[in-house]
Amino acid sequence: MALPVAATQRRAQPSRHELWYDAPATKWTEALPVGNGRLGAMVFGGTAGERLQLNEDTIWAGSAENPVNPRARAALPRVRELVFAGKFAEAEKLASADVMGVPLKQPPYQTAGSLMIDMAGADAGVTGYRRSLDLATAVAETRWTANGTTYRRRVLASPVDQVIAVRIEADRPGAIAARLGFTCPLKSWKVAPEGQDTLILSGSGDPHHGRPGAIQFEARLRVLAEGGRVTANGDALMLAGADAVTLLIAIATNFRRFDDLSADPALITRDQIARAAARPFAAIERTATTEHRRLFDRVRLDLGDGPNLPTDKRIQAMRTGDDPALAALYFDYARYLLIASSRPGTQPANLQGIWNDLPTPPWESKYTVNINTEMNYWPAEPAGLPELTEPLIRMVEEMAVTGARTAREMYGARGWVCHHNTDTWRDTAPIDGPQWGLWPTGGAWLAMHLWDRWDYGRDRAYLERIWPVLHGAALFFLDTLQRDPTTGALVTNPSISPENQHPFGGALCAGPAMDNQILRDLFDHVGAAARILGREDESTRAMAAARARLAPDRVGKAGQLMEWAEDWDMEAPERNHRHVSHLYALYPSHQIAPDTTPALAAAAKRTLELRGDEATGWATAWRINLWARLRDGDHAHRILRFLLGPDRTYPNMFDAHPPFQIDGNFGGAAGMLEMLIQDRGDTLLLLPALPSAWPQGSVTGVRLKGRGMLDLSWRGGRLASARIRSELAGERRVLLGDKAKTLRLTPGRMVRLTGRDFA
């Protein structure tokens, strides 16, 4: 099939939803990601040599095992005594030996290898090269001309057909020839042909700290040539003289659940390839794009047009200028990445989403739950992607199972607990070392995301489902909170303020501010759920009483919000630490706000001034949200510009921690929404932190708590129109600057406001 003439012509102006480049990727952080939630590929866009680096979200090293230290329960009382006595270094030494998990490291998320496409001769005299990723269609495309022949290669990951599909076309009959082969960096793998048109890569996850690699996987390639012929040659397939070709890749593992590895990957991939091969590429592309657009098209952010430059050059230009349209593209990209890495039935987005090319990636590409996993899902609800939280909710439900074992065996407590990391095996014991891992509040923070799903959707059946998880998270703290001998307050002990060290010999402490803040939200939400469901009992009354005994947030000697129970902030070793854990109360919580707690908001601002604006990628993104909550749009925008520049954004727009972590992408998108809309449930703030760099624009399809929707536009830095709809009757207070208006909402009826309504 000859390539259509229209496909060979370059667009004069790229789509607002398009990343594009004028050269192939030479590094992994220049390649373009596609994904269907479960399967992922990084597309390098080569001419003679193309690499598709492949992932499947359940390929992990190691195997399931109970990592709780058998000495932990006996050692914890002494650790607590030492912490209360101020003997922090001694407490940390004991915790290192007798409390931390065994093994001390969790296993990594791993790659499935790569498909290599060698098109020898297709790189002679290349002209008209262009590679792109269309965020609206979820198709990566490469186009070029070599020796007078124009080639086009398209790659997509179908959530419908459960394959990665590749289409290669040329405008000259018989021009396509290629060698196709798999490669893999894991320790155990092999490649073999099946017939003349199929190639199979099979392998297993690597062993980890004595745990065998329990994950078995298979990647299956099927070559569907139009014209020419396909033959097997050793561990490769050879394609010659084709007019066009479709490549179908299916990948599966034996993973069903963290405690069930009974699936048959060969049977699964064989069935997926057979089903997809019965349909032409055009049909696969059409259904995949339709399913993608069902989610992607719900929300649109418009900040104007940008320059007609390759995306990497626009990122470089952020060092000295501004490009509002690049910010909108970054927002769209974050929504695209969440759609591509977290769908119902898949695993949640991990530290790198689903994209990883290494056997041991940075931080093992796990689920770090002292900020990073939570940040991945910050934009999901307001940015119109609520169903994409299903993998996170399911993971927390599974962690409540393993976390109950950890609570019982390690603490002698009811309920469930997770410390600062988990993995595909849902391990919940503390890892890495006390200064990072001995933090018992990770599960409690994750439970707040389950509450958010209720708060936005208001589905009573869902609230019934998550009730045992919410209640269990709070029950653990009823059993483990300790009475501070000095103040009488209830405190966590041992704990840390993630991942910061205080000035007295380590990180272990009692009652850091973040723990108190998270527990206030947890106890409040469990109490609210109990009232809605009629579940109030002795335990929920005890939770309310415990909440009242938590220490309040306090202002320190430098005017800052205190991070620890004592005023240690100004003597801490890292004054500009990347974590700002004690500002959880400002964002994502609403416990602190300029109009409700002005003194604490001022202290939070002072903390941010002391910490500085420029940090790692995700920490920079968090600061955008925090400054937006303080209603300083220009300051938030200044940090956003740094995030979008080459120091914190790779050429393919992945967040540069550095190295790559995907949470910065998601946190940055959430921050942009916070600049435009802040939703406290009963109160809605319009344009609370609009920067002067965005004098006009619009956002449509934003979801509100209580099953509401909002469209918003502004001109000249002022509100032009706000349209609010709700599926539930009730009142909502709307703020524009210091002016307020109370709306009475009727289900299905849209209310329109303009700036004049607040005069």
Short mmCIF file of all heavy atoms in Angstrom, two decimals, residues 20-47:
data_model
loop_
_atom_site.label_atom_id
_atom_site.label_comp_id
_atom_site.label_asym_id
_atom_site.label_seq_id
_atom_site.Cartn_x
_atom_site.Cartn_y
_atom_site.Cartn_z
N TRP A 20 6.63 17.58 19.03
CA TRP A 20 7.28 17.20 17.78
C TRP A 20 8.75 17.63 17.77
O TRP A 20 9.16 18.54 18.49
CB TRP A 20 6.54 17.76 16.56
CG TRP A 20 6.65 19.25 16.35
CD1 TRP A 20 5.91 20.22 16.95
CD2 TRP A 20 7.56 19.93 15.46
NE1 TRP A 20 6.29 21.46 16.50
CE2 TRP A 20 7.29 21.32 15.59
CE3 TRP A 20 8.55 19.51 14.58
CZ2 TRP A 20 8.00 22.27 14.86
CZ3 TRP A 20 9.25 20.46 13.85
CH2 TRP A 20 8.97 21.82 14.00
N TYR A 21 9.54 16.93 16.93
CA TYR A 21 10.99 17.07 16.92
C TYR A 21 11.50 16.90 15.49
O TYR A 21 10.86 16.25 14.66
CB TYR A 21 11.63 16.01 17.83
CG TYR A 21 11.06 16.02 19.23
CD1 TYR A 21 9.86 15.36 19.52
CD2 TYR A 21 11.67 16.74 20.25
CE1 TYR A 21 9.31 15.41 20.80
CE2 TYR A 21 11.13 16.79 21.53
CZ TYR A 21 9.94 16.13 21.79
OH TYR A 21 9.39 16.19 23.04
N ASP A 22 12.67 17.47 15.24
CA ASP A 22 13.24 17.39 13.89
C ASP A 22 14.44 16.45 13.82
O ASP A 22 15.21 16.48 12.86
CB ASP A 22 13.62 18.78 13.37
CG ASP A 22 14.57 19.53 14.30
OD1 ASP A 22 15.11 18.91 15.24
OD2 ASP A 22 14.77 20.74 14.10
N ALA A 23 14.61 15.60 14.84
CA ALA A 23 15.69 14.61 14.84
C ALA A 23 15.27 13.42 15.68
O ALA A 23 14.45 13.55 16.60
CB ALA A 23 16.98 15.22 15.39
N PRO A 24 15.81 12.23 15.40
CA PRO A 24 15.49 11.06 16.22
C PRO A 24 16.01 11.22 17.64
O PRO A 24 16.90 12.03 17.92
CB PRO A 24 16.22 9.91 15.50
CG PRO A 24 16.51 10.41 14.13
CD PRO A 24 16.68 11.90 14.25
N ALA A 25 15.46 10.44 18.54
CA ALA A 25 15.94 10.41 19.92
C ALA A 25 17.28 9.69 19.97
O ALA A 25 17.46 8.64 19.34
CB ALA A 25 14.93 9.71 20.81
N THR A 26 18.21 10.23 20.72
CA THR A 26 19.48 9.56 20.97
C THR A 26 19.58 9.05 22.40
O THR A 26 20.47 8.28 22.71
CB THR A 26 20.66 10.51 20.69
OG1 THR A 26 20.55 11.67 21.54
CG2 THR A 26 20.65 10.96 19.23
N LYS A 27 18.66 9.51 23.28
CA LYS A 27 18.62 9.07 24.67
C LYS A 27 17.19 8.66 25.00
O LYS A 27 16.22 9.09 24.37
CB LYS A 27 19.04 10.21 25.61
CG LYS A 27 20.42 10.77 25.35
CD LYS A 27 20.67 11.98 26.25
CE LYS A 27 22.03 12.60 25.97
NZ LYS A 27 22.24 13.83 26.79
N TRP A 28 17.10 7.84 26.05
CA TRP A 28 15.78 7.37 26.47
C TRP A 28 14.87 8.53 26.86
O TRP A 28 13.67 8.50 26.62
CB TRP A 28 15.96 6.41 27.65
CG TRP A 28 14.74 5.67 28.06
CD1 TRP A 28 14.23 4.53 27.50
CD2 TRP A 28 13.85 5.99 29.13
NE1 TRP A 28 13.10 4.13 28.15
CE2 TRP A 28 12.84 5.01 29.16
CE3 TRP A 28 13.82 7.01 30.07
CZ2 TRP A 28 11.80 5.01 30.09
CZ3 TRP A 28 12.78 7.03 31.01
CH2 TRP A 28 11.78 6.04 31.02
N THR A 29 15.43 9.59 27.44
CA THR A 29 14.63 10.74 27.86
C THR A 29 14.33 11.69 26.70
O THR A 29 13.80 12.78 26.92
CB THR A 29 15.35 11.50 28.98
OG1 THR A 29 16.71 11.73 28.62
CG2 THR A 29 15.30 10.71 30.27
N GLU A 30 14.66 11.28 25.49
CA GLU A 30 14.21 11.99 24.30
C GLU A 30 13.13 11.20 23.55
O GLU A 30 12.41 11.75 22.72
CB GLU A 30 15.39 12.24 23.35
CG GLU A 30 16.46 13.17 23.94
CD GLU A 30 17.69 13.26 23.05
OE1 GLU A 30 17.78 12.51 22.05
OE2 GLU A 30 18.58 14.06 23.37
N ALA A 31 13.02 9.90 23.84
CA ALA A 31 12.02 9.05 23.18
C ALA A 31 10.62 9.41 23.67
O ALA A 31 10.44 10.03 24.72
CB ALA A 31 12.33 7.59 23.47
N LEU A 32 9.61 9.01 22.90
CA LEU A 32 8.23 9.40 23.17
C LEU A 32 7.42 8.22 23.69
O LEU A 32 7.47 7.12 23.12
CB LEU A 32 7.58 9.96 21.90
CG LEU A 32 8.25 11.25 21.40
CD1 LEU A 32 7.69 11.64 20.03
CD2 LEU A 32 8.05 12.39 22.40
N PRO A 33 6.66 8.42 24.77
CA PRO A 33 5.94 7.32 25.41
C PRO A 33 4.54 7.09 24.85
O PRO A 33 3.78 8.03 24.61
CB PRO A 33 5.85 7.78 26.87
CG PRO A 33 5.74 9.28 26.76
CD PRO A 33 6.58 9.67 25.56
N VAL A 34 4.21 5.82 24.65
CA VAL A 34 2.82 5.42 24.41
C VAL A 34 2.48 4.37 25.47
O VAL A 34 3.36 3.69 25.99
CB VAL A 34 2.59 4.86 23.00
CG1 VAL A 34 2.85 5.93 21.95
CG2 VAL A 34 3.44 3.62 22.73
N GLY A 35 1.21 4.25 25.79
CA GLY A 35 0.81 3.29 26.80
C GLY A 35 -0.69 3.09 26.82
O GLY A 35 -1.45 3.97 26.43
N ASN A 36 -1.11 1.92 27.29
CA ASN A 36 -2.55 1.65 27.41
C ASN A 36 -2.94 1.39 28.86
O ASN A 36 -3.97 0.80 29.14
CB ASN A 36 -2.96 0.47 26.52
CG ASN A 36 -2.44 -0.87 27.03
OD1 ASN A 36 -1.70 -0.94 28.01
ND2 ASN A 36 -2.82 -1.95 26.37
N GLY A 37 -2.11 1.85 29.80
CA GLY A 37 -2.33 1.61 31.21
C GLY A 37 -1.54 0.43 31.72
O GLY A 37 -0.99 0.46 32.81
N ARG A 38 -1.45 -0.62 30.92
CA ARG A 38 -0.73 -1.84 31.28
C ARG A 38 0.55 -2.00 30.48
O ARG A 38 1.60 -2.35 31.01
CB ARG A 38 -1.64 -3.05 31.08
CG ARG A 38 -1.03 -4.38 31.49
CD ARG A 38 -2.01 -5.52 31.22
NE ARG A 38 -2.23 -5.73 29.80
CZ ARG A 38 -1.46 -6.49 29.02
NH1 ARG A 38 -0.41 -7.11 29.52
NH2 ARG A 38 -1.75 -6.65 27.74
N LEU A 39 0.47 -1.77 29.16
CA LEU A 39 1.61 -1.89 28.26
C LEU A 39 2.15 -0.51 27.95
O LEU A 39 1.40 0.45 27.75
CB LEU A 39 1.20 -2.54 26.93
CG LEU A 39 0.61 -3.94 26.98
CD1 LEU A 39 0.22 -4.38 25.58
CD2 LEU A 39 1.59 -4.93 27.59
N GLY A 40 3.48 -0.41 27.86
CA GLY A 40 4.09 0.85 27.50
C GLY A 40 5.22 0.64 26.51
O GLY A 40 5.86 -0.42 26.47
N ALA A 41 5.48 1.65 25.71
CA ALA A 41 6.62 1.63 24.79
C ALA A 41 7.19 3.03 24.69
O ALA A 41 6.47 4.02 24.70
CB ALA A 41 6.20 1.14 23.40
N MET A 42 8.50 3.09 24.62
CA MET A 42 9.22 4.33 24.34
C MET A 42 9.69 4.27 22.90
O MET A 42 10.43 3.36 22.51
CB MET A 42 10.39 4.49 25.30
CG MET A 42 9.99 4.67 26.75
SD MET A 42 9.15 6.23 27.08
CE MET A 42 10.53 7.37 26.99
N VAL A 43 9.26 5.25 22.10
CA VAL A 43 9.49 5.26 20.66
C VAL A 43 10.63 6.22 20.36
O VAL A 43 10.52 7.42 20.61
CB VAL A 43 8.21 5.67 19.91
CG1 VAL A 43 8.43 5.58 18.41
CG2 VAL A 43 7.03 4.81 20.36
N PHE A 44 11.72 5.72 19.80
CA PHE A 44 12.90 6.53 19.55
C PHE A 44 12.84 7.28 18.22
O PHE A 44 13.50 8.30 18.06
CB PHE A 44 14.17 5.67 19.61
CG PHE A 44 14.60 5.34 21.01
CD1 PHE A 44 13.85 4.52 21.83
CD2 PHE A 44 15.77 5.88 21.52
CE1 PHE A 44 14.24 4.22 23.12
CE2 PHE A 44 16.19 5.59 22.82
CZ PHE A 44 15.42 4.76 23.62
N GLY A 45 12.09 6.79 17.26
CA GLY A 45 11.94 7.50 15.99
C GLY A 45 13.15 7.45 15.09
O GLY A 45 13.42 8.41 14.35
N GLY A 46 13.89 6.35 15.11
CA GLY A 46 15.02 6.22 14.22
C GLY A 46 14.58 5.96 12.78
O GLY A 46 13.42 5.64 12.52
N THR A 47 15.50 6.11 11.86
CA THR A 47 15.19 5.86 10.45
C THR A 47 15.62 4.43 10.09
O THR A 47 14.80 3.53 10.01
CB THR A 47 15.86 6.91 9.56
OG1 THR A 47 17.26 6.98 9.88
CG2 THR A 47 15.24 8.26 9.79
#
